[in-house]
Amino acid sequence: MNYELLLREHKLKVTPQRLGILTLMQNAGHLDVEELFVLIKKQFSSISLATLYKNINAMLENSLITEIKIPRHKSKYEIAKEPHIHLLCQKCNEFIDVSVNIDSLVDEVSMKSHYQLMDSSIVLCGVCEKCQAL
Amino acid sequence: MNYELLLREHKLKVTPQRLGILTLMQNAGHLDVEELFVLIKKQFSSISLATLYKNINAMLENSLITEIKIPRHKSKYEIAKEPHIHLLCQKCNEFIDVSVNIDSLVDEVSMKSHYQLMDSSIVLCGVCEKCQAL
DNA sequence: CTGAGTGCAAACGTTTTGCACTTGC
DNA sequence: GCAAGTGCAAAACGTTTGCACTCAG
């Protein structure tokens, strides 16, 4: 993925710190602020938490990344992509994406509520395959 | 609803403050900490935020209430009940429950991911009927 | 060259803690 | 009577802000 282009497309200046943040997010899939700070410090030992927060907020405002609020956990951040849902393993805390078509759910809810729906935040919790085997 | 019984069933002592908190939650449907504090102060003018937090946490731990994390908003709390999903109006911030069967979604995700799913957190965002009319 | 980004320290709002006192059971 | 809950003040925590300096465009 070309992060320089990605930043420019979202009207954000390209800085080494931002490239590092995006690379880490992409590699990990989802990271919370603390995880991100620990990792980014390895590359930029003098980076400050303030800079991290400012960049996260700038990228959120420009919809370059999205925040995922998770029951009983800290928010995680991911590079914005097509709509999808999230799965959380309650044993090992694995957190993954799943692509699934939610049109029928949205249609049904739309019908019942008369809401015009535009966005969804879906997190399902359970036990992953590996943890079931234990 | 009998809140005294509800508290006892969840192994929590019955106090006037707790009864007040539960009554407010039930009447409003969902409240965030700040809203709850403003309202409960009208009944117990000397109640402290610490007490409110301690009670919210105690009730959460005993699954008497649940926390709903909402994108771009503060968490709200509601008295625990059968699984359901939430709708948020992005214009007027109305926040409502909807009962909808999510078995087919859960089955599909379960099949794809091999997760054993046990819990769901679903918030759909859009525009309510009244706001669409404006 | 100029506006935006960075890093630091201080401030801020929210939540938790410790403690003395009170209350439910 | 005793464990648990309450209210207060202080502390802890996560996040934001102001400012001087640096850097991207």
Side-chain angles (χ1 to χ4, degrees):
Chain A
M1 193 181 289
N2 185 338
Y3 302 117
E4 302 200 12
L5 185 58
L6 190 61
L7 285 164
R8 291 208 185 89
E9 283 172 352
H10 290 265
K11 308 189 188 320
L12 291 168
K13 286 195 176 176
V14 177
T15 69
Q17 289 88 340
R18 287 177 178 172
L19 293 173
I21 290 170
L22 289 173
T23 304
L24 289 170
M25 272 189 192
Q26 182 72 351
N27 291 347
H30 323 83
L31 289 169
D32 63 36
V33 172
E34 196 185 329
E35 290 167 339
L36 204 40
F37 189 56
V38 169
L39 293 172
I40 197 74
K41 272 224 158 196
K42 293 182 182 170
Q43 260 181 82
F44 302 92
S45 56
S46 68
I47 197 173
S48 77
L49 251 181
T51 298
L52 180 55
Y53 276 108
K54 283 171 189 168
N55 282 328
I56 287 175
N57 287 332
M59 292 180 189
L60 280 174
E61 275 161 32
N62 291 281
S63 303
L64 200 164
I65 62 173
T66 51
E67 178 176 6
I68 313 153
K69 293 202 171 186
I70 312 167
R72 293 171 293 278
H73 289 263
K74 286 186 267 190
S75 288
K76 288 182 180 284
Y77 300 86
E78 69 183 0
I79 297 180
K81 52 188 170 190
E82 320 74 59
H84 58 280
I85 74 168
H86 293 102
L87 257 54
L88 172 69
C89 176
Q90 290 164 346
K91 305 250 172 167
C92 68
N93 288 327
E94 180 187 62
F95 190 72
I96 61 171
D97 291 348
V98 180
S99 289
V100 56
N101 188 295
I102 58 165
D103 289 352
S104 64
L105 173 69
V106 169
D107 287 349
E108 189 184 338
V109 171
S110 212
M111 194 102 75
K112 280 190 176 171
S113 64
H114 302 104
Y115 264 59
Q116 184 180 356
L117 297 171
M118 292 138 80
D119 198 12
S120 67
S121 161
I122 303 182
V123 180
L124 303 182
C125 305
V127 182
C128 75
E129 199 170 9
K130 285 149 278 168
C131 289
Q132 284 173 53
L134 297 181
Chain B
M1 193 180 290
N2 185 335
Y3 301 118
E4 300 199 15
L5 184 59
L6 190 62
L7 283 164
R8 290 210 185 85
E9 282 172 352
H10 289 267
K11 306 189 189 323
L12 292 169
K13 287 194 176 175
V14 176
T15 68
Q17 290 87 340
R18 285 177 180 173
L19 293 173
I21 290 170
L22 289 173
T23 304
L24 289 171
M25 270 190 194
Q26 183 71 354
N27 291 346
H30 322 83
L31 290 169
D32 63 36
V33 173
E34 196 186 329
E35 291 167 339
L36 205 38
F37 189 55
V38 169
L39 293 172
I40 196 75
K41 272 225 157 193
K42 293 182 182 172
Q43 259 181 83
F44 302 93
S45 56
S46 68
I47 198 174
S48 77
L49 252 180
T51 298
L52 180 56
Y53 275 109
K54 282 170 190 167
N55 282 327
I56 287 175
N57 287 333
M59 293 179 189
L60 280 174
E61 275 162 31
N62 291 281
S63 302
L64 200 166
I65 62 173
T66 50
E67 178 177 6
I68 313 153
K69 294 202 171 186
I70 312 168
R72 292 171 293 279
H73 289 263
K74 285 188 267 192
S75 288
K76 289 180 178 283
Y77 300 87
E78 67 182 1
I79 297 179
K81 53 187 170 189
E82 320 76 59
H84 58 280
I85 74 169
H86 293 103
L87 256 52
L88 172 69
C89 174
Q90 291 165 344
K91 303 249 174 173
C92 68
N93 288 326
E94 180 187 63
F95 190 71
I96 61 172
D97 292 348
V98 180
S99 289
V100 56
N101 189 295
I102 59 166
D103 289 353
S104 64
L105 173 68
V106 170
D107 287 349
E108 189 185 336
V109 171
S110 212
M111 193 101 76
K112 280 189 175 171
S113 65
H114 302 103
Y115 264 58
Q116 185 181 355
L117 297 172
M118 292 139 79
D119 198 11
S120 66
S121 161
I122 303 183
V123 180
L124 304 183
C125 306
V127 182
C128 74
E129 200 170 10
K130 286 149 279 169
C131 290
Q132 284 174 54
L134 299 180

